[in-house]
Amino acid sequence: MAQVCPPGSLVVADWHRCADSKEYFSKILHKKRRKNFGLLESPVMPPHAAVDTVNYKIFISGKTGVGKSSLAARLAGHTIPNMHCETTGIETTVVYWPVKLRTSGKVLFFRLQLWDCGENALRRFDHLFPSCQEQVDAVLFLFSFSDRTSFDDLPNQIDKWTGKSGRNVVKLVVGTKFDLYMHCDVTEREVRTFQETSGLPVMRSGGEVSDGLGDVAALLNCLAENLWHQDCLTTSSDHHQSQQEAGTSL
């Protein structure tokens, strides 16, 4: 069973709605819309409000047409493509998201580098999947509420990443096209059952982008919280191992 961080236990939920967050979120917004950050760009804070940035590599997994590129665009605040065009290779998108830690009150900028690779490209070129696996911190497993086969394929998608990366990897499931309820092929009961049996959080995505923050806050906070939780567990484990090694050498 996967270790999942309870929502809101480590980071302040809906912090983007609080007054003290405006100074930080203003650095990722321009005229109330998200800024586009290149690989070498980052938000610039004044010296009195300087914050640490933590970097993570996120791979987006899913069948062709499930909405991987659209999700990456949504999370980054980019324009969501109207027509489907399969990704021919690997595309990366940088997302900055400020988070306030609940216990310490410390603010961090999460720099999430999203990796998106077309399913056919992964099948054709053997070197692409190892590149996606290398130093990965989290995987988003996608299914579409309007595509039953993508939901049924989730166990196969997850199995590809079970014990294959050589490190602890955060795993989240995202159901796309949640707004297309008239064409829904997956029921809420099935989603709840899957969540209970797999132990993985299931987030939902879909609809028009409105303010650029509220539409993605729940998913990005969940991802950031579980990444930070994983780091805390790793740090604690490494510290415990160091203490054991020191005791053995005495």
Side-chain angles (χ1 to χ4, degrees):
M1 187 69 70
Q3 286 188 312
V4 178
C5 183
S9 60
L10 293 182
V11 307
V12 178
D14 291 335
W15 186 54
H16 65 285
R17 303 183 189 276
C18 301
D20 64 327
S21 72
K22 291 183 178 180
E23 183 175 17
Y24 302 92
F25 279 97
S26 67
K27 302 305 178 181
I28 66 170
L29 295 173
H30 177 66
K31 295 182 178 180
K32 296 184 179 181
R33 298 188 65 86
R34 299 276 294 283
K35 291 181 181 178
N36 294 339
F37 292 96
L39 291 177
L40 301 180
E41 296 177 307
S42 63
V44 179
M45 297 292 297
H48 74 276
V51 299
D52 293 330
T53 298
V54 287
N55 298 273
Y56 297 98
K57 175 181 175 180
I58 319 297
F59 181 72
I60 304 177
S61 174
K63 292 173 62 65
T64 297
V66 79
K68 299 187 292 295
S69 298
S70 294
L71 180 68
R74 179 185 294 274
L75 295 179
H78 297 174
T79 301
I80 299 176
N82 293 323
M83 298 182 62
H84 171 254
C85 182
E86 184 172 4
T87 305
T88 56
I90 296 175
E91 292 187 2
T92 61
T93 305
V94 174
V95 176
Y96 279 94
W97 187 253
V99 166
K100 185 175 184 179
L101 301 181
R102 179 171 294 279
T103 303
S104 65
K106 183 177 181 179
V107 176
L108 297 171
F109 264 114
F110 278 71
R111 182 185 184 275
L112 309 174
Q113 189 177 73
L114 308 178
W115 283 50
D116 169 27
C117 187
E119 186 180 29
N120 288 328
L122 287 173
R123 291 174 177 172
R124 289 179 59 191
F125 305 106
D126 294 338
H127 66 282
L128 291 183
F129 190 58
S131 297
C132 294
Q133 285 183 308
E134 185 178 7
Q135 298 299 310
V136 71
D137 298 294
V139 183
L140 301 180
F141 299 101
L142 269 60
F143 74 93
S144 170
F145 276 95
S146 62
D147 180 2
R148 176 74 198 190
T149 61
S150 67
F151 181 75
D152 293 337
D153 189 55
L154 279 176
N156 294 329
Q157 294 286 340
I158 296 170
D159 184 62
K160 293 178 183 178
W161 288 88
T162 303
K164 303 292 178 63
S165 66
R167 57 189 294 177
N168 292 323
V169 176
V170 170
K171 301 181 180 70
L172 301 180
V173 177
V174 181
T176 63
K177 305 178 184 180
F178 184 59
D179 55 311
L180 302 180
Y181 55 89
M182 294 295 292
H183 306 281
C184 185
D185 290 338
V186 183
T187 67
E188 284 295 326
R189 173 179 289 183
E190 290 173 317
V191 172
R192 288 195 300 270
T193 300
F194 172 82
Q195 187 168 281
E196 292 170 358
T197 56
S198 68
L200 300 179
V202 178
M203 309 299 293
R204 293 157 178 78
S205 176
E208 296 294 329
V209 176
S210 57
D211 61 7
L213 295 179
D215 301 307
V216 297
L219 203 163
L220 287 175
N221 281 333
C222 179
L223 181 57
E225 190 160 45
N226 280 279
L227 285 167
W228 190 251
H229 178 58
Q230 183 62 62
D231 276 359
C232 291
L233 291 177
T234 301
T235 301
S236 176
S237 177
D238 290 345
H239 178 68
H240 180 67
Q241 183 176 356
S242 297
Q243 286 183 321
Q244 286 185 322
E245 293 175 351
T248 302
S249 63
L250 293 177

